[in-house]
Each structure stands twice: as C-alpha cells, then as structure tokens.
Amino acid sequence: MIIRIEAESDIPIYTQLTNQIIEGIARGEIVYGDSLPSVRAFAADLGVNMHTVNKSYHELEKKGIIKIVPKSGAIISPTEQLSEERKQQIINELKPVIAEALVIGMSKLEMQDLVSAVLKEMKER
C-alpha cells in the first residue's frame, strides 16, 4: 500500500494517513489480521512525526478499525456488524458532503454516479 502525504493540504496529516489506511482496507490491500508498521518505522518511512502516526492509529482504534496490542503493534480488526449508532454516525458525516454537492448544483443522478464510481474504484484496485 502506498501512502501519499500532501504537506500543503488543508487536511491534517494524521487524517490523510487515517483515510488512506481505511481506503487500503476497503480496497483489500490490507486485510483482517494484518499488522500495520510500528509507529516509529511508519513515521520514518513517511517522513512525519511519530505523534502524527500515533494520532492516526488512535483514530483508527476509536473507529474500531484496528486494535492496538501492547508489544505487538496495530492489527487490523475483524469487520464488526454495523451498529445503528455507527450507521447514524456515518450518515451524519455524509450529510455535509451531500448538502455541499446539492448547493453547488450536483444532481441526485450525478451523486449516485459519483458514489458508484468511487465504489468501483475501491473494489477494482
């Protein structure tokens, strides 16, 4: 899995890292039971501060995507059944994006096509 950090982006580096790890899992590049590199090694590979990687790992742990095991590292957690609470959380995260798309003039069909294209991209890599 290739991680690309854009230092000039408005998106914090730990968020970029978190999002790219999630995308790697969605694409099947990383699977349940795989270990992520140690915080120190990952930070060195990416050329970022160890606290940045640590914050990303804790975000992933909070989302239930990885489990941090002392002395073993960060391990990709098995997929859990989608709870109503988590589903609502995802809806709440999507609402601002959908609202923005509507405000800038995107049609329902264009949004559906966009979502289909993103899903296809995730599954084909």
Short mmCIF file of all heavy atoms in Angstrom, two decimals, residues 63 82 85-103 106 111 114-116 118-119 122:
data_model
loop_
_atom_site.label_atom_id
_atom_site.label_comp_id
_atom_site.label_asym_id
_atom_site.label_seq_id
_atom_site.Cartn_x
_atom_site.Cartn_y
_atom_site.Cartn_z
N LYS A 63 -12.36 4.16 15.87
CA LYS A 63 -13.37 3.77 14.89
C LYS A 63 -13.58 2.25 14.86
O LYS A 63 -14.41 1.75 14.13
CB LYS A 63 -12.97 4.25 13.49
CG LYS A 63 -13.00 5.76 13.31
CD LYS A 63 -12.49 6.15 11.94
CE LYS A 63 -12.42 7.64 11.78
NZ LYS A 63 -13.61 8.24 11.23
N LEU A 82 -22.47 -3.79 11.51
CA LEU A 82 -22.75 -2.37 11.56
C LEU A 82 -23.86 -2.07 12.57
O LEU A 82 -24.99 -2.52 12.41
CB LEU A 82 -23.16 -1.87 10.16
CG LEU A 82 -23.42 -0.39 10.01
CD1 LEU A 82 -22.16 0.42 10.31
CD2 LEU A 82 -23.90 -0.10 8.60
N GLU A 85 -25.84 2.84 15.83
CA GLU A 85 -25.11 4.03 16.26
C GLU A 85 -24.04 4.40 15.23
O GLU A 85 -23.90 5.57 14.85
CB GLU A 85 -24.47 3.78 17.62
CG GLU A 85 -23.68 4.95 18.16
CD GLU A 85 -23.00 4.63 19.49
OE1 GLU A 85 -23.47 3.72 20.21
OE2 GLU A 85 -22.02 5.29 19.80
N ARG A 86 -23.28 3.41 14.78
CA ARG A 86 -22.22 3.66 13.79
C ARG A 86 -22.83 4.08 12.45
O ARG A 86 -22.31 4.96 11.77
CB ARG A 86 -21.35 2.41 13.62
CG ARG A 86 -20.20 2.61 12.67
CD ARG A 86 -19.17 3.58 13.24
NE ARG A 86 -18.08 3.72 12.29
CZ ARG A 86 -17.65 4.89 11.83
NH1 ARG A 86 -18.16 6.01 12.25
NH2 ARG A 86 -16.69 4.94 10.96
N LYS A 87 -23.96 3.46 12.09
CA LYS A 87 -24.64 3.82 10.85
C LYS A 87 -25.08 5.29 10.89
O LYS A 87 -24.89 6.03 9.93
CB LYS A 87 -25.86 2.91 10.64
CG LYS A 87 -26.57 3.12 9.33
CD LYS A 87 -27.70 2.11 9.19
CE LYS A 87 -28.51 2.34 7.95
NZ LYS A 87 -29.62 1.38 7.83
N GLN A 88 -25.63 5.70 12.02
CA GLN A 88 -26.06 7.09 12.18
C GLN A 88 -24.85 8.03 12.13
O GLN A 88 -24.93 9.12 11.56
CB GLN A 88 -26.83 7.27 13.49
CG GLN A 88 -27.48 8.63 13.63
CD GLN A 88 -28.47 8.94 12.51
OE1 GLN A 88 -29.33 8.12 12.17
NE2 GLN A 88 -28.32 10.11 11.91
N GLN A 89 -23.75 7.60 12.70
CA GLN A 89 -22.52 8.40 12.68
C GLN A 89 -22.05 8.61 11.23
O GLN A 89 -21.67 9.72 10.85
CB GLN A 89 -21.45 7.68 13.50
CG GLN A 89 -20.25 8.50 13.81
CD GLN A 89 -19.27 7.70 14.68
OE1 GLN A 89 -19.26 6.48 14.70
NE2 GLN A 89 -18.44 8.43 15.38
N ILE A 90 -22.13 7.57 10.43
CA ILE A 90 -21.73 7.67 9.01
C ILE A 90 -22.68 8.60 8.27
O ILE A 90 -22.26 9.44 7.47
CB ILE A 90 -21.67 6.27 8.36
CG1 ILE A 90 -20.48 5.49 8.94
CG2 ILE A 90 -21.56 6.37 6.84
CD1 ILE A 90 -20.44 4.02 8.58
N ILE A 91 -23.97 8.48 8.54
CA ILE A 91 -24.96 9.38 7.92
C ILE A 91 -24.64 10.83 8.27
O ILE A 91 -24.64 11.71 7.40
CB ILE A 91 -26.39 9.00 8.35
CG1 ILE A 91 -26.79 7.65 7.72
CG2 ILE A 91 -27.39 10.10 7.98
CD1 ILE A 91 -28.06 7.05 8.28
N ASN A 92 -24.34 11.07 9.53
CA ASN A 92 -24.03 12.43 9.98
C ASN A 92 -22.76 12.97 9.31
O ASN A 92 -22.65 14.17 9.06
CB ASN A 92 -23.88 12.49 11.50
CG ASN A 92 -25.20 12.27 12.20
OD1 ASN A 92 -26.27 12.44 11.61
ND2 ASN A 92 -25.14 11.88 13.45
N GLU A 93 -21.81 12.10 9.04
CA GLU A 93 -20.58 12.52 8.36
C GLU A 93 -20.83 12.79 6.88
O GLU A 93 -20.18 13.65 6.28
CB GLU A 93 -19.49 11.46 8.53
CG GLU A 93 -18.98 11.36 9.96
CD GLU A 93 -18.04 10.19 10.20
OE1 GLU A 93 -17.69 9.47 9.23
OE2 GLU A 93 -17.66 9.98 11.35
N LEU A 94 -21.78 12.05 6.28
CA LEU A 94 -22.07 12.23 4.86
C LEU A 94 -22.95 13.45 4.59
O LEU A 94 -22.84 14.06 3.51
CB LEU A 94 -22.77 10.99 4.31
CG LEU A 94 -21.90 9.78 4.02
CD1 LEU A 94 -22.75 8.59 3.62
CD2 LEU A 94 -20.89 10.09 2.93
N LYS A 95 -23.81 13.81 5.52
CA LYS A 95 -24.77 14.90 5.28
C LYS A 95 -24.12 16.20 4.79
O LYS A 95 -24.59 16.77 3.81
CB LYS A 95 -25.60 15.17 6.54
CG LYS A 95 -26.79 14.25 6.67
CD LYS A 95 -27.62 14.63 7.89
CE LYS A 95 -28.82 13.72 8.00
NZ LYS A 95 -29.61 14.00 9.20
N PRO A 96 -23.06 16.68 5.44
CA PRO A 96 -22.46 17.93 4.95
C PRO A 96 -21.92 17.81 3.51
O PRO A 96 -22.01 18.75 2.74
CB PRO A 96 -21.32 18.21 5.94
CG PRO A 96 -21.62 17.39 7.13
CD PRO A 96 -22.40 16.22 6.66
N VAL A 97 -21.38 16.65 3.17
CA VAL A 97 -20.84 16.45 1.82
C VAL A 97 -21.99 16.45 0.80
O VAL A 97 -21.90 17.09 -0.26
CB VAL A 97 -20.04 15.12 1.75
CG1 VAL A 97 -19.57 14.83 0.33
CG2 VAL A 97 -18.87 15.16 2.71
N ILE A 98 -23.07 15.77 1.13
CA ILE A 98 -24.23 15.71 0.23
C ILE A 98 -24.85 17.10 0.10
O ILE A 98 -25.20 17.54 -1.01
CB ILE A 98 -25.25 14.67 0.73
CG1 ILE A 98 -24.64 13.26 0.60
CG2 ILE A 98 -26.56 14.78 -0.04
CD1 ILE A 98 -25.44 12.18 1.28
N ALA A 99 -24.98 17.80 1.21
CA ALA A 99 -25.55 19.15 1.17
C ALA A 99 -24.69 20.07 0.30
O ALA A 99 -25.22 20.84 -0.51
CB ALA A 99 -25.65 19.71 2.59
N GLU A 100 -23.38 19.97 0.44
CA GLU A 100 -22.49 20.80 -0.37
C GLU A 100 -22.65 20.47 -1.85
O GLU A 100 -22.68 21.37 -2.68
CB GLU A 100 -21.03 20.61 0.07
CG GLU A 100 -20.07 21.50 -0.69
CD GLU A 100 -18.63 21.34 -0.21
OE1 GLU A 100 -18.41 20.87 0.92
OE2 GLU A 100 -17.73 21.71 -0.98
N ALA A 101 -22.75 19.19 -2.16
CA ALA A 101 -22.94 18.78 -3.56
C ALA A 101 -24.23 19.36 -4.13
O ALA A 101 -24.26 19.84 -5.26
CB ALA A 101 -22.94 17.26 -3.66
N LEU A 102 -25.29 19.35 -3.32
CA LEU A 102 -26.57 19.93 -3.78
C LEU A 102 -26.44 21.43 -3.99
O LEU A 102 -26.94 21.98 -4.98
CB LEU A 102 -27.68 19.62 -2.77
CG LEU A 102 -28.14 18.17 -2.68
CD1 LEU A 102 -29.05 17.97 -1.48
CD2 LEU A 102 -28.82 17.73 -3.97
N VAL A 103 -25.76 22.09 -3.05
CA VAL A 103 -25.61 23.55 -3.12
C VAL A 103 -24.83 23.97 -4.37
O VAL A 103 -25.13 24.98 -4.99
CB VAL A 103 -24.94 24.09 -1.83
CG1 VAL A 103 -24.51 25.53 -1.98
CG2 VAL A 103 -25.90 23.95 -0.65
N MET A 106 -25.01 19.84 -8.03
CA MET A 106 -24.91 18.45 -8.46
C MET A 106 -26.29 17.80 -8.36
O MET A 106 -27.00 18.00 -7.37
CB MET A 106 -23.89 17.72 -7.59
CG MET A 106 -23.45 16.38 -8.12
SD MET A 106 -22.14 15.70 -7.06
CE MET A 106 -20.76 15.92 -8.16
N MET A 111 -24.72 12.47 -8.23
CA MET A 111 -24.18 11.99 -6.96
C MET A 111 -24.17 10.47 -6.93
O MET A 111 -23.21 9.86 -6.47
CB MET A 111 -25.01 12.54 -5.79
CG MET A 111 -24.70 13.99 -5.49
SD MET A 111 -25.42 14.54 -3.95
CE MET A 111 -26.99 15.14 -4.54
N LEU A 114 -21.38 9.31 -9.01
CA LEU A 114 -20.11 9.56 -8.32
C LEU A 114 -19.84 8.49 -7.26
O LEU A 114 -18.74 7.94 -7.17
CB LEU A 114 -20.13 10.95 -7.69
CG LEU A 114 -18.86 11.41 -7.00
CD1 LEU A 114 -17.74 11.62 -8.02
CD2 LEU A 114 -19.10 12.71 -6.24
N VAL A 115 -20.86 8.18 -6.47
CA VAL A 115 -20.72 7.14 -5.44
C VAL A 115 -20.41 5.79 -6.09
O VAL A 115 -19.52 5.06 -5.63
CB VAL A 115 -21.98 7.06 -4.54
CG1 VAL A 115 -21.95 5.83 -3.64
CG2 VAL A 115 -22.12 8.33 -3.71
N SER A 116 -21.10 5.49 -7.18
CA SER A 116 -20.84 4.23 -7.89
C SER A 116 -19.41 4.18 -8.40
O SER A 116 -18.74 3.14 -8.31
CB SER A 116 -21.82 4.06 -9.06
OG SER A 116 -23.12 3.90 -8.57
N VAL A 118 -16.77 5.76 -7.19
CA VAL A 118 -15.85 5.61 -6.06
C VAL A 118 -15.87 4.16 -5.57
O VAL A 118 -14.81 3.57 -5.31
CB VAL A 118 -16.20 6.59 -4.92
CG1 VAL A 118 -15.40 6.28 -3.66
CG2 VAL A 118 -15.96 8.03 -5.36
N LEU A 119 -17.06 3.57 -5.46
CA LEU A 119 -17.15 2.17 -5.02
C LEU A 119 -16.44 1.25 -6.01
O LEU A 119 -15.72 0.33 -5.61
CB LEU A 119 -18.62 1.75 -4.89
CG LEU A 119 -19.36 2.27 -3.67
CD1 LEU A 119 -20.85 1.98 -3.78
CD2 LEU A 119 -18.79 1.67 -2.40
N MET A 122 -12.73 1.51 -5.52
CA MET A 122 -12.29 0.82 -4.31
C MET A 122 -12.21 -0.69 -4.53
O MET A 122 -11.32 -1.35 -4.01
CB MET A 122 -13.24 1.09 -3.14
CG MET A 122 -13.34 2.50 -2.73
SD MET A 122 -12.11 2.85 -1.49
CE MET A 122 -12.31 4.60 -1.33
#
